[in-house]
Amino acid sequence: MKPVLLDVAGLSTTFPTGRGPLIALDDVSLSLDRGRTLGLVGESGSGKTVLARSIMGLLPAHAHRQGHVWFEGQDLAALSPRDLRDIWGREIAMVFQDPMTSLNPVMKVGRQITESLRHHLRMGKDEARTAAVDLLDSVGIPEPKRRADEYPHQLSGGMRQRVTIAIALACWPKLLLADEPTTALDVTVQSQILDLLQAKQAERSMAMILVTHDLGVVAGRTNEIAVMYAGRIVERADTATLFAETRMPYTESLLASIPRVERPSHTRLQAIAGRPPDLVTRPGGCRFAPRCPYAQPRCAEEEPPLLPAPTPGHTFACWYPVGTPAGDEALARNTASNEASNKAADRAADGR
Amino acid sequence: MAGSGTAHLRDRADALLRVEHLVVEFPAAGRGRKVHAVSDVSLDVLPGETLGLVGESGCGKSTLGRAVMQLPRPTSGSVRFGGQELTALKGEPLRRLRPQMQMIFQDPISSLNPRRRVGDIVAEPLAVWRSGQSHGDVQAAVRAVLADVGLDYDTAADRLPHQFSGGQCQRISIARALVLEPKLLVCDEPVSALDVSVQAQILNLLEDMKARYGLTMLFIAHDLAVVKSISDRVAVMYLGKLCEVAPSDGLYDAPTHPYTAALLASIPVPNPEVRPGVGGGTLSNDLPSPIDPPSGCRFRTRCPRAGQRCAEEEPVLRHCGDDHWVACHFPVGKLGQALSHTGPDAMAD
């Protein structure tokens, strides 16, 4: 039996800072099979980009990475940068957030595509050129022959992102890491690019990790979702299960903060109070507890492990999960004590 | 879409801001070539109202916001603010009006001076406009406005912008805009650089500040869900022209311009059972060049319903429902059907 395509085991990534080590990724494990799409969701600083880059081995030299990244049974974490070069582009490819800075501004886009074709697939000049024009055509760029001879600045943002996708797809990778591929783009272009990624993923039965801060982006377009918070995975499930049986309060809060076009205007949004914790001086207990509407004393003391839910494949890390008696009770207790303290504050204000 | 006209404007006396036939053009490379950024747009905003301006990158929405502030001055057209014609004012009289019109920008980090302390950034407008104030009064005002936006003076005032997150920097920008207690706040994509969770905080904050300071807002963004959430009335813009103007809820209930329908369809829905893009027909390809915009209706090159007439004749905004205006020869949806039945121009007046 072939080993699973990607199996990340106990991956941690730390950056030294003047104040001490910053644990950006803390003991993360996940696996992904061939042809599947995983959405990786979380706020800025939750570690989702660091996870994608740690899988790829694209970290700055001072970063410290521990753990294993098994890709088709081979541990990428043990490979030298030289060996990784045969993996990058060929086996695993990446699409970045900002298409302007991820393209070389002084190289024609055609050549940026033929580079990897000639290196990895040992194509001749003319063969690579034809393949590059075909790739541009397949990612929906009109007049691909003419566009291949243009520079990135001559293209619009959406076109540039199409070019970076063409580069990533050039050598038929088995895994595509798309790191916030549409965050820098307009909503109309965003849906075009997501449609394109989805079509290519299905057509090539390629596995894909789609990194985003917006649960709306991954809802209709992934098989499974992992939600990250402060360097850990806090909930993971099949996409339908995650939305139907949300257990982690953070996932619930993320969903609630999205403005919904079907609600009347001026509907108050459910913002998540506060900010993610400082990853250098992180206190113990559940990392989301200080912002969590369900938090109880236990949450500040003991960190909840990632445990399986009754639905197969669903795991979450929470002592008082959403939609369970324990969670309902915790929420009711917090609501009641908030009301009491508001009343006390009102009385104090009246007394003055 | 992509139409002109002034039928959707309300009574002149009521509006705090009234923009008529606004044109902004920039010189482009090549003899006599021009970028038609804003072409004959008319808008009004009543006191206390939030007008949302929505459209893709390059549609001219930011240019329009800046032209309202006379930064730079529009090529032609009229901008009346509180009854004064801004385009006729210059020098000191225009400068005198500026404290009443403030702006916040898309990138919260680059819109703050990285080498100045937050307390000084927020105090600067007071130093310019109320230079007679004592140090204590200035500090009290800065303390109050920072508290309003959710920051603590004692911990924030002596720090530099890079020590804050993007969301907090946007709070500082809002404090700086509010410290002079303006009447009009122009928000140019204030949340598009932020995460959804922080976006919700900032949108809520803007709603609170609107109530507390009695603001009138022009809110510019590309995300229709965000715009709808905060606005009373929404104007949809495409390649320098208006497509549709309607109350927020009406626009969502009955999108009448094909472009509005496409914008709505491209909003990602956080529900796995909704197949993306189904039902509205998302847009293909890119915005045409504003240097050489299409004849007739500017949207026709991407419009699924475009016909011969769209290339020949520019549609004018016409009434199609309750304070609902559309500039299209072949409008969609229930209001569009009603319009077609009554004949294309029956409701034009």
Side-chain angles (χ1 to χ4, degrees):
Chain A
M1 207 182 96
K2 276 214 262 182
V4 67
L5 181 75
L6 177 74
D7 188 14
V8 174
L11 196 62
S12 298
T13 301
T14 320
F15 298 94
T17 72
R19 300 181 298 133
L22 185 151
I23 305 163
L25 200 62
D26 190 359
D27 192 17
V28 166
S29 301
L30 64 85
S31 65
L32 186 66
D33 228 332
R34 290 170 184 76
R36 303 275 290 175
T37 308
L38 170 75
L40 201 56
V41 183
E43 288 169 281
S44 300
S46 62
K48 53 196 196 302
T49 295
V50 177
L51 174 55
R53 287 178 165 264
S54 300
I55 290 172
M56 206 52 180
L58 278 178
L59 291 168
H62 65 276
H64 179 68
R65 182 179 61 171
Q66 266 186 319
H68 302 280
V69 180
W70 300 104
F71 183 77
E72 297 199 301
Q74 186 181 23
D75 188 3
L76 300 185
L79 291 185
S80 67
R82 204 190 161 80
D83 293 333
L84 275 174
R85 240 178 275 166
D86 291 335
I87 306 276
W88 291 338
R90 172 124 201 207
E91 305 286 333
I92 309 179
M94 198 157 178
V95 174
F96 299 91
Q97 176 171 352
D98 184 350
M100 193 67 223
T101 54
S102 57
L103 291 171
N104 184 337
V106 295
M107 200 193 267
K108 289 176 181 169
V109 299
R111 235 197 97 203
Q112 303 195 38
I113 302 175
T114 55
E115 239 187 346
S116 66
L117 290 171
R118 300 199 63 189
H119 175 83
H120 288 305
L121 305 184
R122 309 267 167 231
M123 279 190 189
K125 205 173 171 187
D126 294 341
E127 192 191 354
R129 162 85 193 184
T130 313
V133 171
D134 288 347
L135 273 163
L136 286 177
D137 191 34
S138 81
V139 295
I141 291 188
E143 300 178 73
K145 272 210 177 89
R146 186 170 66 81
R147 292 297 188 180
D149 286 324
E150 289 191 337
Y151 291 95
H153 77 267
Q154 293 171 288
L155 307 176
S156 70
M159 286 294 157
R160 280 183 215 134
Q161 199 59 298
R162 287 175 191 271
V163 170
T164 65
I165 292 170
I167 294 171
L169 295 176
C171 299
W172 290 74
K174 293 172 186 144
L175 173 64
L176 182 69
L177 300 174
D179 185 8
E180 303 254 13
T182 59
T183 306
L185 306 173
D186 268 4
V187 266
T188 48
V189 184
Q190 164 168 293
S191 67
Q192 294 170 17
I193 296 293
L194 293 171
D195 287 345
L196 172 67
L197 283 171
Q198 205 176 0
K200 292 292 153 195
Q201 185 266 333
E203 175 187 311
R204 298 169 167 227
S205 59
M206 171 178 76
M208 179 160 80
I209 297 182
L210 186 58
V211 179
T212 174
H213 66 266
D214 188 347
L215 270 168
V217 163
V218 290
R221 303 179 190 270
T222 53
N223 304 117
E224 27 195 325
I225 293 178
V227 179
M228 291 195 70
Y229 189 75
R232 302 205 95 157
I233 290 179
V234 292
E235 185 160 15
R236 163 127 202 237
D238 286 348
T239 303
T241 310
L242 189 92
F243 283 91
E245 299 166 29
T246 309
R247 288 288 171 264
M248 177 65 197
Y250 178 60
T251 312
E252 186 187 46
S253 304
L254 265 188
L255 260 175
S257 63
I258 302 174
R260 305 291 291 263
V261 79
E262 63 273 21
R263 289 202 204 118
S265 68
H266 302 298
T267 303
R268 189 132 185 113
L269 297 167
Q270 302 286 312
I272 312 176
R275 285 194 301 145
D278 181 348
L279 295 173
V280 178
T281 57
R282 192 176 57 74
C286 172
R287 295 157 198 233
F288 187 56
R291 306 170 73 189
C292 180
Y294 296 78
Q296 298 296 312
R298 182 180 184 189
C299 304
E301 287 152 16
E302 264 181 278
E303 179 155 15
L306 195 62
L307 291 177
T311 310
H314 186 183
T315 51
F316 62 88
C318 182
W319 297 125
Y320 301 96
V322 179
T324 64
D328 292 344
E329 201 183 305
L331 186 62
R333 203 175 307 145
N334 287 352
T335 315
S337 82
N338 282 346
E339 273 169 14
S341 64
N342 286 347
K343 269 188 198 146
D346 287 347
R347 270 200 301 277
D350 290 344
R352 250 185 296 162
Chain B
M1 92 78 155
S4 308
T6 54
H8 60 296
L9 297 183
R10 290 158 294 188
D11 192 353
R12 181 179 293 250
D14 295 338
L16 176 70
L17 176 72
R18 186 182 172 99
V19 173
E20 279 179 83
H21 304 296
L22 191 79
V23 176
V24 184
E25 288 166 354
F26 300 108
R31 242 181 110 82
R33 300 218 304 162
K34 283 184 278 187
V35 178
H36 301 270
V38 179
S39 305
D40 195 5
V41 167
S42 302
L43 285 174
D44 58 358
V45 194
L46 305 186
E49 189 177 56
T50 300
L51 175 71
L53 194 58
V54 68
E56 289 166 281
S57 299
C59 75
K61 57 192 191 302
S62 293
T63 305
L64 187 133
R66 305 185 73 115
V68 164
M69 307 288 285
Q70 309 293 303
L71 295 168
R73 284 174 180 278
T75 311
S76 66
S78 147
V79 179
R80 293 181 73 81
F81 174 75
Q84 294 221 51
E85 179 59 50
L86 297 185
T87 54
L89 293 179
K90 46 187 167 184
E92 191 58 19
L94 177 60
R95 207 181 79 86
R96 292 260 153 233
L97 279 176
R98 292 219 178 270
Q100 298 180 29
M101 313 182 289
Q102 294 290 316
M103 199 161 179
I104 52 176
F105 302 91
Q106 174 168 358
D107 185 346
I109 295 163
S110 69
S111 61
L112 300 176
N113 184 334
R115 307 179 69 159
R116 299 197 69 196
R117 295 181 191 286
V118 166
D120 296 336
I121 290 172
V122 178
E124 181 71 11
L126 296 174
V128 173
W129 287 104
R130 302 190 199 147
S131 49
Q133 263 186 341
S134 74
H135 179 69
D137 288 350
V138 168
Q139 201 195 41
V142 173
R143 183 182 288 277
V145 76
L146 281 176
D148 284 345
V149 300
L151 293 169
D152 174 41
Y153 181 89
D154 296 317
T155 53
D158 281 336
R159 295 209 274 166
L160 297 169
H162 77 264
Q163 295 172 290
F164 293 88
S165 68
Q168 287 174 312
C169 284
Q170 201 57 290
R171 289 175 189 270
I172 297 164
S173 301
I174 294 171
R176 176 179 60 181
L178 292 181
V179 73
L180 291 171
E181 300 181 15
K183 287 184 182 157
L184 177 71
L185 187 63
V186 176
C187 309
D188 187 6
E189 299 263 15
V191 294
S192 46
L194 307 174
D195 268 7
V196 269
S197 55
V198 182
Q199 168 178 291
Q201 291 176 6
I202 297 296
L203 290 174
N204 284 344
L205 176 67
L206 283 171
E207 291 273 26
D208 293 344
M209 294 302 106
K210 182 187 165 190
R212 177 166 305 189
Y213 287 80
L215 295 171
T216 302
M217 290 204 286
L218 179 60
F219 187 96
I220 301 167
H222 69 262
D223 185 337
L224 194 46
V226 166
V227 169
K228 190 203 165 189
S229 146
I230 198 166
S231 308
D232 301 300
R233 204 172 189 231
V234 176
V236 182
M237 203 169 166
Y238 184 84
L239 208 63
K241 298 265 186 185
L242 289 186
C243 299
E244 189 164 357
V245 181
S248 309
D249 294 328
L251 190 78
Y252 169 73
D253 292 337
T256 307
H257 199 285
Y259 181 59
T260 313
L263 275 185
L264 275 169
S266 53
I267 298 173
V269 183
N271 178 350
E273 278 154 33
V274 177
R275 299 305 303 164
V278 172
T282 47
L283 290 174
S284 56
N285 55 50
D286 283 0
L287 210 64
S289 165
I291 294 176
D292 186 17
S295 66
C297 172
R298 290 189 178 181
F299 184 55
R300 69 178 166 84
T301 53
R302 294 168 82 191
C303 182
R305 298 169 68 86
Q308 187 60 32
R309 187 173 170 204
C310 304
E312 289 159 3
E313 190 189 334
E314 185 188 338
V316 173
L317 279 165
R318 50 188 174 141
H319 191 237
C320 62
D322 196 10
D323 191 30
H324 199 134
W325 307 82
V326 66
C328 180
H329 296 309
F330 304 106
V332 298
K334 55 187 181 196
L335 296 181
Q337 275 172 9
L339 212 53
S340 309
H341 287 316
T342 53
D345 297 310
M347 293 177 82
D349 300 313

